[in-house]
Amino acid sequence: MEVTKLNVKARCDMHLCRGPAIYKVAGVKGFGGSGLYLCSNCLTELYEALGRVIVPKSPDNLIKKAVKRREEDERN
């Protein structure tokens, strides 16, 4: 997936949005100019909606890593 800024005039592809598209979300390259054209408002809403569904896992802090290593060493 790739998000690029448009240099041409296009209309947003979201339903009932008549705003001018500023961004293009493209999938696999090689299929011509196909992609999803979005205005800045719709792109922001899509980003926020995806953020509610896909939450990144926070990395373990140094204390938790040290405790896990001690537990593994005690088992071995």
Side-chain angles (χ1 to χ4, degrees):
M1 287 278 176
E2 187 176 323
V3 178
T4 56
K5 209 162 194 181
L6 288 175
N7 294 330
V8 296
K9 287 187 176 183
R11 188 176 286 175
C12 183
D13 286 338
M14 293 304 256
H15 186 65
L16 297 177
C17 180
R18 297 226 183 257
I22 299 173
Y23 300 98
K24 175 183 175 184
V25 180
V28 180
K29 291 185 178 183
F31 289 107
S34 64
L36 181 63
Y37 295 95
L38 298 171
C39 65
S40 60
N41 292 336
C42 291
L43 183 69
T44 303
E45 288 179 22
L46 179 64
Y47 176 75
E48 290 172 356
L50 287 172
R52 281 185 235 116
V53 176
I54 303 170
V55 179
K57 182 182 174 188
S58 61
D60 289 339
N61 62 24
L62 296 175
I63 296 171
K64 285 185 181 180
K65 285 183 182 179
V67 170
K68 283 184 182 179
R69 266 192 241 130
R70 261 190 242 129
E71 289 174 357
E72 289 176 1
D73 289 341
E74 288 175 0
R75 290 181 200 159
N76 295 331

